[in-house]
Amino acid sequence: MTSIGASSGMVDWNLAVATATRLVRPGPEVSRDEARAVVAELRRHARASEEHVRGFTGLATDAVHDTPVLVVDRPGWIRANVAGFRELLKPLLGRMEERRGTTPGGAVLGAVGGKVTGVEVGMLLSFLSSRVLGQYETFAPASRELPAGSPGGGRLLLVAPNIVHVERELDVEPHDFRLWVCLHEETHRTQFTAVPWLRDHLEGEIQSFLEQTDVDPTTVLERLREAAQSLAGGRPEGEAEDGGRSLVELVQTPAQREILARLTAVMSLLEGHADFVMDGVGPAVVPTVGEIREKFQQRRAKGASRLDLALRRLLGLDAKLRQYRDGERFVRAVVEQCGMDGFNRVWTSPNTLPTKAEIAKPADWIARVHRRPEA
């Protein structure tokens, strides 16, 4: 296993990877020949999706060909995301490390805290790794295991065992489902490669959010411990059936709330745009798209179990489900009013991104972006 980086500090990242890969559930049973065929087909669909997505959206880029498609298993997804988290969280964890030194009992926390947190992060990642179908990962540094496109990095991850698991669970046509998934994820790759400033803008917003964080390290550890206890089937004493805040809500200051509103709007746009493109392209290239969409929406809405619902709330994943719905409505409304070219003005600069309020009221975005005099 490739080292993710230093194992000292607030989080033992290597232990997080080791824990997650040890606890992750095995994927569906497939023969070696079937596994090879799935990987090959996903690569073909990813290549085909490039033309479908660019043709539908009008977003053209040469850089997309330099951005690798990595068909991974669950441990591969875990390693990629740990590498990305470690990079993004450096500023926050550095400040928490400094504060820990002045906290009563900090020496004890220093001795065991990194390993405890590494185990707990690993438990959460093991849970999530069996649920993600694909992801455009843009923050992890390029490495031999995680090659990245240029400029700006990034790679498209397709999690083969999860795709096979869901297509079997939904009882849909496998070849159609695999292409349908690739259309969604390829849209994300196109967004980042066709809009060169998008990655840096997102990273800047996330770093600004983290710079505003002022929270005691033990409080973060308590939230992680609650999540780990949920995975083990326990519940912190005194917690109400629907109580508890998400990890995102925990670290909000007034300044962070403003940043989070902007991030929520951007993520709603990106997710909604991917759903819109997937539905727009789908009927022409995915014969059973109607059945797939209906079954997948039902699965997405209800979650797998009471445990799944509890963890979705804690990790803020319910907000992600709303992003799909709200963002898709925004994109659809703007395209209907302004056409695809008119919608694509959203990618002009950070100033033309919709606000959280405009996601809910697309007409306000249209009024602001399309009716003002050109500079």
Side-chain angles (χ1 to χ4, degrees):
M1 179 179 67
T2 299
S3 174
I4 298 299
S7 60
S8 60
M10 294 298 299
V11 181
D12 186 332
W13 294 110
N14 289 335
L15 185 57
V17 171
T19 300
T21 53
R22 186 179 74 251
L23 295 178
V24 69
R25 293 183 296 180
E29 291 187 8
V30 295
S31 68
R32 181 170 297 181
D33 287 344
E34 184 179 4
R36 289 197 185 103
V38 170
V39 170
E41 183 173 20
L42 288 173
R43 292 188 185 281
R44 289 196 304 272
H45 285 330
R47 286 194 296 270
S49 295
E50 292 179 21
E51 295 300 327
H52 295 317
V53 170
R54 284 183 291 167
F56 183 80
T57 64
L59 295 175
T61 173
D62 293 330
V64 70
H65 297 290
D66 298 326
T67 307
V69 176
L70 306 180
V71 182
V72 298
D73 56 11
R74 291 167 180 175
W77 180 88
I78 288 166
R79 288 191 292 270
N81 278 268
V82 166
F85 291 157
R86 182 174 182 271
E87 191 71 16
L88 279 177
L89 294 176
K90 275 182 180 178
L92 172 63
L93 296 181
R95 287 197 308 279
M96 289 174 66
E97 183 81 14
E98 292 176 2
R99 170 175 280 196
R100 187 178 66 181
T102 62
T103 300
V108 175
L109 183 61
V112 300
K115 292 190 180 298
V116 170
T117 309
V119 169
E120 290 168 345
V121 169
M123 293 177 72
L124 294 178
L125 286 171
S126 72
F127 171 82
L128 294 172
S129 67
S130 63
R131 285 157 171 75
V132 177
L133 300 181
Q135 173 188 2
Y136 185 76
E137 203 295 312
T138 186
F139 296 116
S143 67
R144 183 177 61 82
E145 286 191 346
L146 288 173
S150 61
R155 73 282 294 164
L156 180 63
L157 307 176
L158 297 170
V159 191
N162 296 349
I163 293 172
V164 172
H165 171 78
V166 174
E167 70 192 26
R168 291 178 178 179
E169 178 185 294
L170 298 181
D171 190 25
V172 293
E173 209 289 320
H175 306 294
D176 285 2
F177 183 75
R178 295 166 194 173
L179 176 55
W180 187 74
V181 170
C182 286
L183 289 171
H184 182 101
E185 303 307 333
E186 177 59 39
T187 302
H188 288 316
R189 181 165 68 153
T190 299
Q191 290 163 349
F192 280 90
T193 54
V195 186
W197 54 263
L198 183 58
R199 179 194 180 277
D200 290 342
H201 173 70
L202 268 180
E203 184 175 21
E205 291 281 57
I206 292 170
Q207 293 304 332
S208 296
F209 182 87
L210 295 176
E211 287 171 6
Q212 296 291 329
T213 297
D214 184 22
V215 63
D216 186 85
T218 57
T219 307
V220 175
L221 296 180
E222 287 171 3
R223 288 297 178 196
L224 289 170
R225 194 161 292 114
E226 288 177 12
Q229 287 171 339
S230 293
L231 282 171
R235 178 179 293 275
E237 184 176 355
E239 182 180 325
E241 183 70 20
D242 59 351
R245 292 180 296 169
S246 75
L247 290 170
V248 171
E249 291 172 322
L250 174 70
V251 293
Q252 286 186 54
T253 65
Q256 282 181 311
R257 282 193 287 272
E258 294 181 7
I259 299 169
L260 188 62
R262 295 196 297 269
L263 281 170
T264 299
V266 174
M267 298 311 297
S268 297
L269 171 69
L270 298 180
E271 296 293 358
H273 183 236
D275 268 12
F276 178 79
V277 172
M278 186 167 56
D279 286 347
V281 175
V285 297
V286 182
T288 59
V289 65
E291 176 190 1
I292 291 172
R293 183 65 160 157
E294 181 180 358
K295 289 183 175 180
F296 192 80
Q297 285 288 72
Q298 292 173 355
R299 180 183 186 274
R300 178 189 277 175
K302 71 181 181 181
S305 65
R306 176 175 171 273
L307 170 62
D308 189 60
L309 293 172
L311 279 167
R312 274 172 29 183
R313 186 184 304 116
L314 178 65
L315 298 173
L317 299 182
D318 281 336
K320 185 175 178 67
L321 297 181
R322 290 193 295 273
Q323 288 168 11
Y324 285 105
R325 296 191 298 267
D326 297 345
E328 195 274 341
R329 283 195 292 264
F330 170 84
V331 175
R332 186 173 300 280
V334 173
V335 172
E336 287 176 354
Q337 290 292 316
C338 306
M340 188 63 75
D341 288 342
F343 166 79
N344 280 342
R345 290 187 63 177
V346 77
W347 311 116
T348 304
S349 75
N351 292 330
T352 57
L353 291 172
T355 65
K356 189 176 179 181
E358 287 170 342
I359 288 288
K361 295 183 177 180
D364 291 351
W365 180 86
I366 294 172
R368 176 172 69 85
V369 173
H370 282 271
R371 297 178 186 172
R372 65 186 181 188
E374 295 292 334

